């Protein structure tokens, strides 16, 4: 009996378990997603001259999101009679969890990575590339008119913007000479890539905003045009999964941008704090700055139209991203 | 009504299958109103408006209520713009009774009417913003509207639906002083928004000074609106060149109000057929020639500035004296005859045709609301545009479904 308890305790206290379950793992990720929603609501409230969540929880309505999540869980899931029931039910669940697969490969510090890999960048972007597919299937399974229009927009938008997103990565890979996110961060020890590749950074940021469907690029769910776009028929817990997936992707892309362009966890030394705590702190701070920028756009801009969106994607961002590859190659060969 | 023939547009999949869907009444972008939209790809090939979801028979109801008890009822179709809904009715009844309201009542009517116009336009812009996905615009406009409504409440006793105008004057006089709490609250808000103390000498409980301060405040806020919303690149991109209503078409379709003025026709009932205190004040008619969604928004925007000017002038010029003629408060007799009252409501010209047979209630009342006259413009502008252009077109007309249905 003692042996069992001992080994169980050993397992729980082992670094692998803590990594997977607590810090860069599932607990942190879910709390970070909740925090993002709360932060968004507070920030937007400030822009719109409001206070935002206030009463639930002792400090600044911090528990409002828990209350909202519980409320959604208690709601009835309405399944349209014409829909294909199984697909309608399963695809948002899959879509909600696929973005979770990004986090094991994403280092938050020298020690804080759940599954170290030589090709972590490739894996992360493979996951990002497949993440919209369950949502498209979910919209298709609704068999309803507004989700149908929303789905077409989703397809157009995501496939148009994934190309510049991935093309903007190539300069980073050329300069760092590695597909490992850790090596990419190490390569930025002296100069973060945003200074070497400012255009690439802009292309990447705009594409990621479009990728996570934030205003001004929230066309697939455009509320006043398409009711709720491709999520129109979803309610209750299924809607919660969809929201989880979208917010996880937004968080992941904010952290990735700071890893790829803003120097990752490198920052000025803070005295008396061990580097293991300091590194994630700097990284999360940088991603929070990016996130604030992305969220501010929602307070400042209206939505743009689909033809303009595709125009920007295909005619401006892709040529810019291609140009950057040559700039990066030039930098690599002649300067660095 | 003469409806012009449906516009014919050419699409790449001529004769192919069409997706047609119901846009409303359970839609975040319509209100109590439905359009049946048929699309080819992203192009709208047919749009059929379907009003009538909130019809309540105001005209028939009016035949069973007395001349005075009708007033709160006529406000219902457009509670945002309540004074303007009652004003032409009262003007028509006054013509039948051959009474002239006292001077002070005329000025008070004008102030409340213009306050209603501003409140209505602010609400229009708040929804304009939300229809384009701009939640900040919604909340800014609604926040500032609060002080306009407070002012209405101060004068009339109600924030909206104040039933303030009656045949032969107004219901009550404006107060001499403003409650201390309201002034304090306004001061804090002014500091917060503009970043400095109110400029009008000393802001105190005096009614006149308070009104002038609120008007100045709104003027400064409108500057901020322009920078934040109307000068915003994406707002211009979404609205400029979208839903262009040409001058001839606007006249042919019989379009009233802001939409007509945005198409280059300088017509305003306040100038064409002046009533109340409008002959005594100076103001410009806001006109644009482009006729697109942006021009329509800017006409409303400029109209708010003109309304503030009118309020400033009326408050300065307002004489002392009684505010209504002496008559029974509820039961009035109106001589036999028929009359028409016209006024420029926030959405356009509103007309009341009143027939009396000498009894204590109307024989027949006909309301011609601006929203109903705006309806033909909707399919005319939407056909041939994209799905994403329906919200700006629909809302730039300043169409109000309840007003249409009456």
């Amino acid at each position: 009996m003692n042996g069992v308890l001992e080994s169980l305790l050993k397992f729980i206290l082992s670094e692998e378990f803590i990594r997977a379950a607590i810090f860069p793992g599932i607990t942190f990720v879910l709390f970070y997603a909740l925090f993002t929603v709360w932060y968004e609501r507070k920030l937007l409230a400030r822009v719109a001259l409001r206070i935002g969540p206030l009463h639930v929880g002792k400090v600044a309505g911090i528990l409002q999101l828990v209350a909202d999540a519980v409320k959604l869980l208690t709601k009835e899931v309405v399944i349209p009679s014409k829909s294909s029931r199984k697909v309608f039910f399963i695809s948002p669940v899959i879509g909600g969890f696929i973005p979770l697969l990004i986090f094991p490969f994403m280092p938050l510090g020298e020690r804080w990575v759940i599954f170290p890999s030589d090709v972590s960048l490739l894996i992360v972007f493979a996951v990002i590339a497949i993440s919209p597919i369950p949502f498209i299937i979910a919209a298709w399974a609704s068999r309803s008119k507004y989700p149908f229009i929303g789905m077409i927009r989703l397809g157009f938008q995501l496939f148009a913007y994934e190309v510049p997103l991935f093309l903007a990565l190539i300069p980073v890979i050329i300069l760092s000479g590695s597909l490992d996110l850790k090596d990419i961060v190490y390569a930025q020890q002296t100069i973060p890539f945003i200074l070497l590749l400012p255009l690439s950074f802009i292309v990447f940021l705009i594409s990621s905003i479009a990728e996570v469907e934030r205003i001004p690029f929230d066309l697939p769910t455009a509320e006043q045009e398409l009711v709720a776009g491709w999520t129109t028929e979803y309610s209750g817990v299924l809607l919660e999964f969809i929201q989880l997936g979208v917010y996880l992707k937004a968080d992941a892309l904010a952290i990735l941008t700071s890893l790829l362009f803003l120097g990752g966890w490198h920052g000025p030394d803070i005295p008396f704090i061990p580097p293991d705590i300091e590194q994630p702190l700097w990284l999360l701070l940088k991603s929070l700055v990016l996130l604030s920028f992305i969220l501010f756009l929602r307070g400042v801009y209206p939505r743009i139209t689909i033809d303009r969106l595709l125009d920007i994607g295909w005619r401006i961002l892709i040529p810019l991203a291609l140009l950057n590859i040559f700039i990066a190659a030039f930098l690599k060969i002649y300067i660095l | 009504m003469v409806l012009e023939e449906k516009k014919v547009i050419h699409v790449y999949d001529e004769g192919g299958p069409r997706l047609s869907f119901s846009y409303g009444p359970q839609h975040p972008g319509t209100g109590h109103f439905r359009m049946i939209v048929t699309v080819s790809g992203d192009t709208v090939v047919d749009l059929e408006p379907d009003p009538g979801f909130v019809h309540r028979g105001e005209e028939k109801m009016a035949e069973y209520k007395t001349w005075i008890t009708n007033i709160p009822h006529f406000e219902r179709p457009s509670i945002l713009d309540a004074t303007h809904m009652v004003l032409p009715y009262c003007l028509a009844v006054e013509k039948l009774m051959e009474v002239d309201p006292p001077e002070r009542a005329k000025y008070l009517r004008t102030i409340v009417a213009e306050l209603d116009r501003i409140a209505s336009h602010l609400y229009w812009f708040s929804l304009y913003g939300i229809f384009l996905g701009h939640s900040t615009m919604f909340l800014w406009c609604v926040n500032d509207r609060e002080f306009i409504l407070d002012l209405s409440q101060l004068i009339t006793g109600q924030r909206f639906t104040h039933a303030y105008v009656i045949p032969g004057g107004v219901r009550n006089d404006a107060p001499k002083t403003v409650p201390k709490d309201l002034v304090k609250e306004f001061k804090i808000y002014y500091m917060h928004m503009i970043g400095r103390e109110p400029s009008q000498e000393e802001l105190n409980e005096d009614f006149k000074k308070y009104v002038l301060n609120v008007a100045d405040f709104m003027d400064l806020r409108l500057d901020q609106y322009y920078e934040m919303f109307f000068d915003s690149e994406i707002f211009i991109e979404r609205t400029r060149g979208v839903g262009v209503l040409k001058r001839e078409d606007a006249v042919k379709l019989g379009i009233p109000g802001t939409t007509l003025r945005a198409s280059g026709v300088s017509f305003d009932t306040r100038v064409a057929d002046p009533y109340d205190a409008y002959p005594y004040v100076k103001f410009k008619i806001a006109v644009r020639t482009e006729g697109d969604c942006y021009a329509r928004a800017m006409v409303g925007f400029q109209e708010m500035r003109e309304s503030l000017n009118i309020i400033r002038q009326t408050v300065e010029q307002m004489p002392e004296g009684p505010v209504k003629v002496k008559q029974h408060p509820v039961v009035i007799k109106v001589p036999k005859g028929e009359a028409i009252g016209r006024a420029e409501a926030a959405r356009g010209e509103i007309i009341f045709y009143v027939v009396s047979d000498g009894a204590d209630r109307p024989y027949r009342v006909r309301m011609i609301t601006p929203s109903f006259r705006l309806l033909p413009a909707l399919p005319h502008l939407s056909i041939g545009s994209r799905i994403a252009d329906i919200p700006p077109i629909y809302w730039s007309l300043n169409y109000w479904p309840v007003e249409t249905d009456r």
Side-chain angles (χ1 to χ4, degrees):
Chain A
M1 193 64 196
N2 254 355
V4 175
L5 265 181
E6 226 168 67
S7 45
L8 194 66
L9 211 64
K10 228 177 183 176
F11 167 66
I12 288 174
L13 291 178
S14 71
E15 214 178 314
E16 282 77 20
F17 179 79
I18 288 176
R19 275 202 206 125
I22 301 171
F23 179 51
I26 184 93
T27 318
F28 163 75
V29 168
L30 292 181
F31 269 100
Y32 193 56
L34 270 185
F35 170 78
T36 318
V37 185
W38 174 82
Y39 182 65
E40 173 183 18
R41 287 175 66 171
K42 270 299 200 195
L43 200 73
L44 277 180
R46 289 286 161 205
V47 179
L49 310 173
R50 292 180 292 131
I51 299 165
L54 183 65
H55 293 295
V56 189
K58 290 268 184 239
V59 189
I62 194 92
L63 291 181
Q64 181 65 51
L65 294 150
V66 182
D68 286 352
V70 171
K71 187 212 77 178
L72 266 183
L73 283 175
T74 57
K75 285 211 158 186
E76 187 192 354
V77 177
V78 183
I79 301 179
S81 56
K82 274 189 190 167
S83 68
S84 21
R85 294 175 67 91
K86 278 178 200 157
V87 184
F88 183 83
F89 204 87
I90 291 168
S91 39
V93 179
I94 297 172
F97 281 116
I98 280 183
L100 268 182
L101 289 178
I102 301 171
F103 289 90
F105 303 99
M106 215 160 53
L108 293 194
E110 267 167 19
R111 271 178 75 194
W112 299 117
V113 53
I114 300 170
F115 193 88
S117 159
D118 287 347
V119 285
S120 48
L121 185 67
L122 219 56
I123 299 172
V124 164
F125 277 88
V127 175
I128 288 176
I130 55 166
S131 62
I133 293 168
F135 289 153
I136 289 174
I137 295 171
W140 183 260
S142 303
R143 278 203 204 156
S144 180
K145 284 170 182 172
Y146 283 111
F148 177 73
I149 301 171
M151 179 202 76
I152 291 173
R153 284 188 180 186
L154 184 74
F156 270 128
Q157 177 170 334
L158 294 189
F159 295 127
Y161 276 77
E162 247 158 38
V163 180
L165 190 74
F166 292 177
L167 285 178
L169 278 179
I170 296 173
V172 174
I173 298 167
I174 291 174
L175 285 192
S176 63
S178 167
L179 284 173
D180 190 350
L181 279 164
K182 251 185 185 172
D183 290 344
I184 291 173
V185 176
Y186 286 141
Q188 301 178 61
Q189 194 138 26
T190 44
I191 312 169
F193 285 157
I194 183 174
L195 298 178
L196 294 176
L197 305 161
L199 274 177
S200 210
F201 170 73
I202 292 167
V203 170
F204 190 83
L205 193 65
I206 293 175
S207 310
S208 16
I209 295 168
E211 191 73 11
V212 294
E213 298 167 41
R214 309 287 317 177
I215 283 180
F217 302 119
D218 75 326
L219 300 144
T221 48
E223 197 189 331
Q224 289 72 27
E225 294 159 26
L226 305 177
V227 189
W230 58 273
T231 59
T232 303
E233 300 291 351
Y234 282 98
S235 56
V237 63
L238 293 179
L239 184 66
E240 208 162 348
F241 276 120
I242 290 173
Q243 296 288 353
L244 181 75
V246 172
Y247 273 98
L248 282 179
K249 212 162 134 186
D251 288 345
L253 277 167
I255 295 177
L256 260 178
T257 317
S258 28
L259 279 175
L260 293 173
F261 292 100
L262 300 183
W265 53 74
H266 294 305
D269 267 332
I270 308 170
F272 310 119
I273 293 180
D276 281 349
I277 297 175
E278 193 192 302
Q279 285 170 354
L281 216 64
W282 274 118
L283 183 65
L284 292 180
L285 203 71
K286 284 171 184 175
S287 73
L288 214 60
V289 171
L290 277 177
L291 215 57
S292 311
F293 174 74
I294 295 171
L295 300 179
F296 259 128
L297 289 180
R298 185 172 158 196
V300 184
Y301 284 123
R303 183 184 303 123
I304 68 171
T305 50
I306 187 83
D307 51 343
R308 188 82 183 108
L309 177 105
L310 295 177
D311 208 45
I312 296 170
W314 291 109
R315 275 204 225 150
I316 300 175
L317 291 186
I318 291 179
L320 268 183
L322 286 171
L323 180 72
N324 269 307
I325 296 173
F326 292 107
I327 294 175
F330 180 78
L331 282 175
K332 180 83 181 172
I333 295 166
Y334 293 106
I335 293 172
L336 294 177
Chain B
M1 191 190 341
V2 186
L3 263 173
E4 51 123 47
E5 317 102 55
K6 260 185 190 160
K7 221 164 44 177
V8 180
I9 57 147
H10 297 285
V11 287
Y12 66 92
D13 57 341
E14 211 67 65
R18 296 276 180 267
L19 178 69
S20 130
F21 53 94
S22 183
Y23 202 93
Q26 283 290 329
H27 190 291
T30 56
H32 313 282
F33 177 64
R34 182 166 77 147
M35 308 170 228
I36 297 159
V37 182
T38 310
V39 292
S40 150
D42 201 31
T43 312
V44 178
V45 290
D46 194 14
L47 186 141
E48 195 183 318
D50 180 16
F53 286 88
V54 271
H55 174 66
R56 47 190 136 182
E58 291 288 349
E59 290 175 5
K60 191 70 189 164
M61 251 188 325
E63 294 166 20
Y64 297 93
K65 298 198 167 290
T66 61
W67 291 102
I68 298 283
T69 52
N70 260 330
I71 290 172
H73 261 274
F74 286 143
E75 290 182 333
R76 299 296 131 178
S78 178
I79 57 171
L80 299 170
D81 194 19
T83 306
H84 284 121
M85 298 301 287
V86 184
L87 200 53
Y89 169 72
C90 291
L91 290 173
V93 174
E94 276 164 9
K95 268 184 207 164
L96 284 176
M97 290 168 72
E98 285 170 0
V99 294
D100 198 31
E103 284 294 294
R104 191 175 169 81
K106 285 185 177 176
Y107 277 92
L108 280 171
R109 278 179 181 187
T110 309
I111 293 176
V112 177
E114 290 306 320
L115 283 175
D116 269 14
R117 188 187 312 280
I118 296 171
S120 177
H121 277 358
L122 280 175
Y123 196 83
W124 173 27
F125 287 135
S126 68
L127 287 187
Y128 207 141
I130 207 89
F131 276 27
L132 295 176
H134 203 322
S135 54
T136 306
M137 190 165 168
F138 172 71
L139 286 152
W140 278 29
C141 293
V142 167
N143 245 353
D144 294 332
R145 188 167 163 259
E146 210 57 20
F147 285 93
I148 302 292
L149 294 185
D150 277 344
L151 200 53
S152 296
Q153 186 185 24
L154 204 66
I155 299 171
T156 66
Q158 283 286 347
R159 285 155 56 83
F160 39 73
T161 62
H162 13 58
Y164 188 56
V165 183
I166 53 169
V170 293
R171 212 170 275 282
N172 55 277
D173 201 350
K176 291 268 181 298
T177 56
V178 182
K180 267 196 179 115
D181 291 350
L182 186 58
V183 178
K184 210 172 136 195
E185 201 183 313
F186 176 67
K187 223 172 190 168
I188 294 167
Y189 192 67
Y190 193 107
M191 273 292 285
H192 189 57
M193 291 295 100
I194 312 290
R196 58 176 167 79
E197 287 277 331
S199 57
Q200 255 320 306
E201 296 149 17
E202 188 77 22
L203 176 62
N204 54 29
E205 279 95 67
D206 185 38
F207 175 74
K208 197 165 134 185
K209 272 185 185 155
Y210 180 75
V211 175
L212 290 176
N213 265 305
V214 172
D216 284 352
F217 169 73
M218 259 331 283
D219 239 1
L220 290 169
R221 280 296 276 167
L222 287 179
D223 291 341
Q224 295 183 358
Y225 283 6
Y226 185 76
E227 271 174 40
M228 180 85 177
F229 313 124
F230 300 109
D231 207 17
S232 150
E233 210 166 287
I234 300 183
F235 183 88
I236 292 174
E237 197 184 293
R238 281 300 301 272
T239 52
R240 188 163 279 172
V242 172
V244 180
L245 184 63
K246 285 186 210 114
R247 192 191 152 99
E248 315 85 80
D249 289 344
V251 174
K252 211 161 89 183
L253 291 168
I255 302 300
T258 45
T259 314
L260 181 70
R261 290 194 281 280
S263 294
V265 182
S266 170
F267 178 82
D268 192 322
T269 319
R270 289 177 292 177
V271 177
D273 183 10
Y275 51 94
D276 289 346
Y278 288 110
Y280 315 130
V281 291
K282 277 187 205 128
F283 64 99
K284 281 181 278 187
I285 305 175
V287 185
R288 301 277 287 209
T289 46
E290 300 96 316
D292 54 6
C293 293
Y294 187 72
R296 290 194 274 276
M298 287 316 284
V299 164
F301 180 77
Q302 281 161 11
E303 254 182 40
M304 287 208 281
R305 281 202 198 277
E306 291 307 321
S307 292
L308 291 171
N309 270 338
I310 295 171
I311 289 171
R312 280 200 202 98
Q313 290 174 41
T314 37
V315 168
E316 296 275 6
Q317 296 171 13
M318 192 159 60
E320 294 295 321
V323 293
K324 55 185 162 190
V325 293
K326 282 207 169 69
Q327 66 187 19
H328 191 279
V330 182
V331 186
I332 54 169
K333 281 268 178 359
V334 176
K336 211 168 166 178
E338 53 190 277
I340 276 186
R342 296 163 81 190
E344 184 72 24
R347 292 180 178 74
E349 188 185 27
I350 177 162
I351 302 167
F352 266 71
Y353 172 64
V354 180
V355 182
S356 167
D357 58 355
D360 59 349
R361 57 198 67 195
Y363 177 75
R364 173 83 171 94
V365 176
R366 172 90 176 98
M367 307 163 81
I368 300 161
T369 48
S371 288
F372 188 72
R373 290 169 61 189
L374 283 169
L375 207 48
L378 189 57
H380 175 79
L381 298 180
S382 299
I383 291 172
S385 67
R386 296 158 300 179
I387 298 175
D389 289 337
I390 296 177
I393 289 174
Y394 172 59
W395 205 248
S396 68
L397 294 175
N398 202 355
Y399 174 83
W400 193 247
V402 198
E403 209 181 83
T404 305
D405 296 349
R406 304 189 294 280

